[in-house]
Amino acid sequence: MFKPAFAAVLVASCCSAAANTTEHTNLEHISIYANRTATPQQDVLASVTVLERDDIVARQANDLPALLAQLPGINLSRDGGRGQNSSVYIRGGNTGHTLVIIDGVRSGSATLGYKTLSMLPLELIERIEVVRGPRAAWYGADALSGVIAITTRKAQGTELNANVGSYGQLGADVSVSQQVGDLAVRATAGYSQTDGFNVRKDLDPDRDGYDQRFAKLAADYQTSFGLLRAQFDINSGFYQFDTGWGTEDQADTLNRTYLLGWEHQLGQWQHQAQLSRVLDDDTVYGPDSSSPFVTERDEFNYQTSTAITDNLNWLGGVNWYSESVGRSGVNYVEDSRINRALFTGLNYKQDNVLLDGSVRRDLTTQYGGNNTWQLAAGYWFTDAWQLRISRGAAFKAPTFNDLYYPDSSNPDLAPERTLSDEVAITYRAANGSVQLAWFENDVDNLIQFDMVTYLPQNIEQAKISGIELAIQADVAGIEQSFAYSWTDTENTLTGLRLARRPEHTINWRAGHSWNKFSAFVTADYQSNTYQGEYAVNEYLGGFTLWGIGASYTVSPALTLRAKVDNLFDKNYYTNDRYTTAGTNFGLSVSYTPL
């Protein structure tokens, strides 16, 4: 049941703080991915949240899915605890309706159709940018509900971190960097593990944990013809999980990325090019067998931009990528495809008016051509108040499993398509901001597994609409953030809600600093969720989770942190019959030699 009194108190607290002044300031993050170019966040005609490294560390989240679930418009469904499969939903869309980009590289499994985030270590992340709403006109397939753009660590100097926590959690990492003339070299390496807990108490009487090792090596070299970049990332390990069939399973994971990049400013023209190769390998072990699922993706991106006039900017480029699943342990009828794309866009800003538009054409060997587009307009009524509107079209390609998995596929599937609208009003002050956004997303050709034919079908349509309220405020030294989302989802053929999308979510965080000490408190609320017509428990109850955390700067080089999640040991579920963590703690230390 939704708790309006709880929400009202938090909204009033945050709004009163943000309304103390009407002075508009530009103390904002920079958006890099919303328009494929660095843009002050106040000039981006989309709903964007940016977390820098300091923000990520300060939140002390257990893992990346838990961190994302604290942000506006995002909810999370877990199959257990840390390291277990986690489904992230942006604005009520499917998990596969969110495109994950890591260092500008398309990421994820071509067999599943999305990137699993539970084994992507926070220790390897420098920056996260979440764009809510379609961005297919810039990035192509899969960016229907939003984009999660991740930048990996860019160490400055030397930093050592270590952490321990509940359920046998243990981890450590080190980052170093060195500048020699025009050459900068950076490296990060780390290790993390947990014993976990039994995620299905009705099945296997075991603990389900994980173990991983990760590393990154990168170099930048400044030359007279531009900045050259080279990078290598690796993330490997295993995680344990329980299935609905009562078997004890484990998956070995391996992710490798090789990247070469070039950036150059030549007069009024900015050029960027990037070549990458990605390996995504999950090998699942059952009681008597193993099943590898391997995606290999080669990708090339080139874009150029220039200022046509003082008020009008243009950007255009090409994108090519080849996906192969031939090394998977499945005899796919087709095991590779190539996508070629052209994209272009304009951005106009004069006085209080902002306009932008973009269009993209994708041509894929597997399912033909797709056109996507985006239009948006914004107007500053005063220095503090802005109104913006946008509309965009997007699509999602059927996965290799959808099209060719033996005995449970449909080669005649068409891409899913969406048409999305958004209207938002924003208030910005010196000590905070308030944004209220309405959105609507119509999904056609929605791919769902038909329990009658046991095949995926383009049989469903969905309508998703909602409201997001996001508030940032700082008053009397207390920093507060509040996010409320109302999401109405409907399968228009059955009239039922889409599974695992709560109607109401609330995230509140308040923090304060005193000299060397800082502390915060969090409250996260989720209303009841529909689990699907074939679930044992068709509906799961709502819940509120409280958390507290603190940090202490022992010296300029040494910082201690502690936090407690699920403070009141709430027994709750986000996925039918999959147990979640009870009260759990974490301790960490960071050391940066001066």
Side-chain angles (χ1 to χ4, degrees), residues 483-544:
Y484 165 71
S485 298
W486 169 73
T487 308
D488 183 26
T489 66
E490 181 187 9
N491 178 331
T492 56
L493 295 183
T494 65
L496 298 173
R497 290 184 61 85
L498 299 181
R500 305 182 191 176
R501 278 76 150 184
E503 185 175 4
H504 304 281
T505 59
I506 294 174
N507 304 100
W508 173 71
R509 175 187 173 90
H512 185 61
S513 298
W514 305 266
N515 297 320
K516 298 181 178 182
F517 180 80
S518 65
F520 66 85
V521 59
T522 62
D524 300 289
Y525 168 79
Q526 177 176 299
S527 63
N528 64 350
T529 56
Y530 173 66
Q531 294 292 299
E533 56 184 319
Y534 297 102
V536 173
N537 299 296
E538 190 172 0
Y539 283 90
L540 297 180
F543 55 86
T544 301

Side-chain angles (χ1 to χ4, degrees), residues 24-26 28 40-44 349 354 380 386 428:
H24 178 60
T25 63
N26 191 24
E28 296 247 28
Q41 193 168 337
Q42 67 178 29
D43 293 338
V44 175
K349 179 182 179 182
L354 297 95
W380 286 99
Q386 183 203 55
R428 299 179 186 274

Side-chain angles (χ1 to χ4, degrees), residues 163-170 194 585-587:
N163 65 82
V164 297
S166 299
Y167 306 115
Q169 173 63 37
L170 177 67
T194 185
F585 75 92
L587 300 172

Side-chain angles (χ1 to χ4, degrees), residues 258-408:
Y258 306 88
L259 185 153
L260 294 173
W262 170 71
E263 300 176 13
H264 187 43
Q265 180 76 42
L266 184 62
Q268 293 293 318
W269 293 84
Q270 172 70 38
H271 301 273
Q272 296 180 29
Q274 183 166 283
L275 179 65
S276 62
R277 179 170 180 79
V278 177
L279 170 72
D280 188 305
D281 184 349
D282 260 33
T283 300
V284 179
Y285 295 91
D288 304 307
S289 62
S290 64
S291 301
F293 291 91
V294 181
T295 297
E296 294 177 292
R297 182 181 295 109
D298 298 311
E299 183 173 8
F300 173 75
N301 278 291
Y302 168 76
Q303 70 179 51
T304 183
S305 60
T306 188
I308 298 175
T309 70
D310 291 340
N311 306 110
L312 184 64
N313 296 300
W314 172 84
L315 186 148
V318 297
N319 172 238
W320 174 95
Y321 60 88
S322 171
E323 296 177 317
S324 172
V325 296
R327 292 173 56 193
S328 297
V330 177
N331 186 23
Y332 292 105
V333 175
E334 298 284 346
D335 59 16
S336 65
R337 64 187 176 198
I338 295 175
N339 188 89
R340 300 176 296 276
L342 295 171
F343 56 86
T344 187
L346 292 169
N347 176 270
Y348 176 81
K349 179 182 179 182
Q350 185 172 21
D351 299 327
N352 296 333
V353 177
L354 297 95
L355 302 170
D356 66 49
S358 54
V359 62
R360 176 171 168 134
R361 169 71 173 176
D362 285 87
L363 184 61
T364 305
T365 54
Q366 212 172 33
Y367 49 84
N370 288 273
N371 299 322
T372 50
W373 52 270
Q374 187 97 26
L375 295 172
Y379 182 75
W380 286 99
F381 291 97
T382 69
D383 287 342
W385 290 94
Q386 183 203 55
L387 175 69
R388 60 178 171 84
I389 58 174
S390 64
R391 166 168 279 201
F395 77 101
K396 176 174 177 59
T399 70
F400 282 91
N401 284 356
D402 290 335
L403 292 167
Y404 305 123
Y405 197 91
D407 301 322
S408 61

Side-chain angles (χ1 to χ4, degrees), residues 38-57:
T39 307
Q41 193 168 337
Q42 67 178 29
D43 293 338
V44 175
L45 298 177
S47 297
V48 179
T49 300
V50 176
L51 297 178
E52 304 290 352
R53 180 64 188 170
D54 288 346
D55 303 318
I56 296 170
V57 172

